[in-house]
Amino acid sequence: MERFRNSAVWLGAFYLICMTVLSRSGVDGVFPPLFKLAALCKFCDLLPTSCNGTGNCKSNCSITSICGLPEQVCVAIWRRNDNNHTLETVCHDPALPLYGMHLDDYNSSTCVMKEKKAEDGMLFICSCNQEECNDNVIFTQIQGPTVESQVAAVILVSLLPLLVLAVLVVAMFYWYRVYRRRQSEWDTRKPHKRKGPLDCSDACAIMMDDDRSDSSSTHANSLNHNTEPLPIELDQLVGKGRFAEVYKAKLKQNPSEQFETVAVKIFPEEEYASWKNEKDIFSDIDLKHENVLHFLTAEERKVEKQYWLITAFHSCGNLQDYLMRHVISWEDLRVLGSSLARGVAHLHSDHSTGGRPKVPIVHRDLKSSNILVKQDLCCCLCDFGLALRLDNSLSVDDLANSGQVGTARYMAPEVLESRINLENIESFKQADIYSMALVLWEITSRCTAIGEVKEYEPPFGSKVREHPCVESMKDNVLRDRGRPEIPDSWSKHQGVAIVCGTIDECWDHDPEARLTAHCVAERFDEIEDEMDKLSSRSSSEEKIPEDLSQNDGK
Ligand code: ADE
């Protein structure tokens, strides 16, 4: 029995020694202790420390203490004061609050600091359960860049110049396009003789908030591809043609109350072909000219089942209406005639004003009601529903299929008899010149410089009915070789005489013998020079006797 008691004491002592060694050496749980031993911790309470709250710090505490209770763990508390830092090392039972906080990391073997809000302000605290584990406190490491982030940074830095370059290129390209668009708009709107503020004599009279004058627009000469139609409010009907109606309208300038007055030509669904043709003609950027109606955009108004063309608005209306209502001066005749010729010359030309190649266009329905009068009395051509682009790809068949088009009253003899020379694109221009001659005659007939001015009458007005058919025009123009009358009295005025001579050459029966529009425009310029010469000659003739009389007096 004695031997048995001795063996039990020795066995118990051996187990105690083993467990102490194992538990101190950190092999917890392998041999669960029969009882928990008190922890061995640094215990200096509060000490100033050089630890600045980064990386790993030593406590510099020289006191290692066996905690008073086996439940207690090692704790370290770091504080930032006004001008120093402190580190507190203690033993503490995690079941109890410390500075109003509960320890949550006491099962850790290392003391990793966490910032916490305590009763007395912010502090860093850590707890752990290994021997003197609060001697070495670890602040959350300032994360150095990972390899991935370093690679990303390198890529970013090396791509940055490329990115900047791309942004610059895009910005420059955008700026260049805006600049080119402004430039071309400005070119077509360049005023004739710009004096004072913008007015209707400018090719681009922009109208805001009032509708006194003509309008052009700041909008590009393009198609409206937006799904949203432009905010346009139709005002009143100003014209009715074969295919469409024209309205004066307000183009709203969001978000203000301002608006731009525009003209809206509305084609019903059935006249799609006419809308399409006019839209395609207008879409040629090279068509832009001060004597051609300024086009803003085209729209398909699906809801209304309509097709719209939106253009500048000219408050003086069309030339026919203008001549009906007004008698004009010699100066007006010169302005109207010369601008009409310049408009047609531009249309027919194979190069733009800047010298770039351009597709010649023929109007094929020139008449005074298809010409608008601008405020400065310059003409601008409109209604391109029958116009034709004479591009090189057109075959004789294409041209033949385009048929006899236009308004019978203004049709050239060769068009009336459908004998236009399809082999030569100049033939189409020559037919336009004949029609232009009739318009020049209409203008002249209302000019005070011819003497007595009669009521307005269209060409062949007394000879045919309001809407003559091709057959009756054939009788007049082909069979009788008739042309509107030019009385001798008209030629008493030197300028009018030149205009009448020009008209006569333009309505020649032989298309080849007709002048070109460019030549007519030059004639008008020469008339101005001639008139200047004549007036300076006559004024110097008046002065000579004066001078002589002065000499005589000497
Ligand atoms: N009649 C036809 N088109 C017109 C326009 N653009 N401005 C004024 N009246 C017109």
Side-chain angles (χ1 to χ4, degrees):
M1 189 65 194
E2 185 62 21
R3 274 178 61 199
F4 174 74
R5 204 183 299 132
N6 285 346
S7 310
V9 168
W10 278 113
L11 208 64
F14 178 72
Y15 183 83
L16 255 177
I17 291 162
C18 284
M19 284 323 298
T20 307
V21 169
L22 285 171
S23 66
R24 290 273 183 264
S25 64
V27 199
D28 279 357
V30 178
F31 297 98
L34 286 180
F35 55 90
K36 196 169 189 301
L37 290 175
L40 209 57
C41 300
K42 287 290 181 189
F43 206 142
C44 279
D45 285 328
L46 213 61
L47 279 181
T49 177
S50 58
C51 179
N52 64 2
T54 57
N56 292 1
C57 298
K58 279 282 176 202
S59 71
N60 290 334
C61 169
S62 55
I63 305 166
T64 303
S65 168
I66 297 174
C67 294
L69 295 168
E71 301 74 33
Q72 288 184 325
V73 293
C74 307
V75 179
I77 299 147
W78 182 89
R79 286 187 177 85
R80 183 186 282 119
N81 303 312
D82 284 344
N83 42 22
N84 71 339
H85 302 137
T86 59
L87 190 69
E88 187 179 346
T89 44
V90 290
C91 289
H92 187 77
D93 178 358
L96 304 172
L98 177 63
Y99 300 116
M101 297 173 297
H102 280 281
L103 301 175
D104 51 12
D105 55 352
Y106 54 88
N107 279 328
S108 165
S109 57
T110 53
C111 209
V112 180
M113 285 292 192
K114 277 191 201 146
E115 191 169 21
K116 295 250 166 102
K117 190 167 165 33
E119 288 161 338
D120 55 346
M122 295 305 288
L123 47 76
F124 280 81
I125 187 165
C126 64
S127 56
C128 48
N129 60 9
Q130 294 294 303
E131 195 173 287
E132 293 184 86
C133 59
N134 61 347
D135 184 33
N136 186 32
V137 295
I138 304 161
F139 285 86
T140 313
Q141 276 157 8
I142 297 161
Q143 293 283 310
T146 60
V147 175
E148 289 88 347
S149 64
Q150 275 176 341
V151 169
V154 167
I155 292 174
L156 233 143
V157 167
S158 46
L159 281 183
L160 202 68
L162 270 178
L163 269 168
V164 170
L165 200 73
V167 168
L168 270 174
V169 168
V170 169
M172 279 174 70
F173 178 68
Y174 177 75
W175 175 84
Y176 175 74
R177 287 197 53 179
V178 170
Y179 169 80
R180 281 295 302 270
R181 192 189 307 153
R182 294 237 172 97
Q183 192 74 18
S184 76
E185 277 180 16
W186 175 244
D187 284 349
T188 48
R189 290 166 182 181
K190 239 177 228 166
H192 226 26
K193 286 171 193 158
R194 178 95 174 258
K195 300 181 198 99
L198 274 177
D199 64 14
C200 294
S201 61
D202 295 321
C204 77
I206 293 169
M207 199 157 46
M208 297 292 193
D209 258 348
D210 88 41
D211 54 4
R212 277 173 288 127
S213 54
D214 296 7
S215 76
S216 180
S217 174
T218 48
H219 291 259
N221 192 3
S222 61
L223 303 186
N224 181 16
H225 292 296
N226 299 334
T227 44
E228 279 296 303
L230 287 175
I232 288 178
E233 193 182 287
L234 298 180
D235 262 359
Q236 82 225 39
L237 184 69
V238 292
K240 220 172 168 143
R242 216 176 325 172
F243 309 115
E245 290 180 335
V246 180
Y247 286 83
K248 180 183 178 187
K250 287 189 180 95
L251 171 58
K252 297 283 170 66
Q253 307 278 317
N254 278 340
S256 69
E257 281 300 293
Q258 288 194 318
F259 62 85
E260 197 171 333
T261 300
V262 291
V264 180
K265 188 169 180 181
I266 302 181
F267 297 74
E269 216 177 358
E270 315 80 74
E271 302 301 346
Y272 169 81
S274 182
W275 171 80
K276 168 89 167 56
N277 191 58
E278 193 160 5
K279 172 191 80 119
D280 289 349
I281 296 278
F282 269 134
S283 300
D284 182 348
I285 194 84
D286 292 321
L287 183 61
K288 282 182 149 210
H289 190 268
E290 59 190 329
N291 304 116
V292 172
L293 179 61
H294 183 76
F295 170 68
L296 306 181
T297 194
E299 284 185 352
E300 287 185 50
R301 294 269 172 155
K302 294 211 171 87
V303 180
E304 299 96 330
K305 295 201 171 119
Q306 290 172 343
Y307 296 96
W308 287 21
L309 290 179
I310 301 151
T311 65
F313 177 79
H314 295 291
S315 55
C316 295
N318 73 48
L319 180 62
Q320 183 170 47
D321 291 342
Y322 189 86
L323 293 175
M324 275 180 192
R325 284 184 267 110
H326 299 89
V327 167
I328 58 167
S329 67
W330 159 248
E331 180 57 19
D332 296 343
L333 161 58
R334 224 184 39 71
V335 173
L336 286 167
S338 126
S339 57
L340 168 60
R342 275 184 277 120
V344 178
H346 174 71
L347 209 63
H348 288 181
S349 180
D350 58 7
H351 57 270
S352 64
T353 345
R356 263 178 299 136
K358 160 188 171 294
V359 176
I361 295 170
V362 281
H363 191 286
R364 303 202 296 175
D365 198 17
L366 276 178
K367 54 182 174 180
S368 52
S369 59
N370 280 346
I371 296 162
L372 294 168
V373 179
K374 301 206 290 186
Q375 288 280 306
D376 59 358
L377 232 60
C378 280
C379 288
C380 84
L381 309 179
C382 68
D383 207 331
F384 294 91
L386 296 176
L388 183 69
R389 284 163 59 84
L390 300 173
D391 60 59
N392 293 332
S393 60
L394 279 179
S395 67
V396 169
D397 284 347
D398 290 335
L399 295 171
N401 289 339
S402 68
Q404 183 189 50
V405 296
T407 305
R409 186 190 292 277
Y410 289 84
M411 272 180 194
E414 66 278 15
V415 179
L416 284 169
E417 60 176 349
S418 298
R419 284 174 61 126
I420 196 155
N421 179 5
L422 302 175
E423 300 285 343
N424 181 6
I425 58 164
E426 292 302 311
S427 325
F428 290 92
K429 298 182 189 174
Q430 289 153 1
D432 269 355
I433 298 296
Y434 171 91
S435 314
M436 184 179 82
L438 297 186
V439 178
L440 287 174
W441 175 88
E442 283 174 84
I443 300 172
T444 313
S445 73
R446 296 291 285 161
C447 176
T448 50
I450 63 169
E452 189 202 350
V453 179
K454 295 195 189 131
E455 282 291 297
Y456 168 82
E457 261 200 4
F460 309 102
S462 55
K463 302 261 173 67
V464 293
R465 51 196 165 89
E466 199 186 347
H467 297 292
C469 61
V470 169
E471 285 312 309
S472 95
M473 288 313 300
K474 272 183 172 175
D475 290 347
N476 276 281
V477 175
L478 283 160
R479 189 192 61 201
D480 305 340
R481 297 275 170 115
R483 297 291 185 270
E485 193 196 353
I486 299 182
D488 289 343
S489 57
W490 287 16
S491 297
K492 283 185 188 152
H493 184 284
Q494 197 132 19
V496 176
I498 299 172
V499 173
C500 290
T502 306
I503 293 171
D504 200 45
E505 285 188 72
C506 288
W507 64 31
D508 200 294
H509 187 81
D510 176 6
E512 300 271 342
R514 294 173 202 153
L515 298 175
T516 63
H518 180 73
C519 179
V520 175
E522 279 186 342
R523 285 265 177 104
F524 271 99
D525 291 344
E526 284 162 13
I527 299 176
E528 197 176 23
D529 292 347
E530 281 301 310
M531 303 299 283
D532 286 350
K533 267 189 233 158
L534 282 171
S535 61
S536 63
R537 205 179 298 158
S538 64
S539 65
S540 61
E541 275 164 9
E542 274 166 24
K543 274 185 192 160
I544 293 165
E546 258 178 44
D547 294 346
L548 285 175
S549 68
Q550 277 171 8
N551 290 344
D552 285 346
K554 273 190 181 171

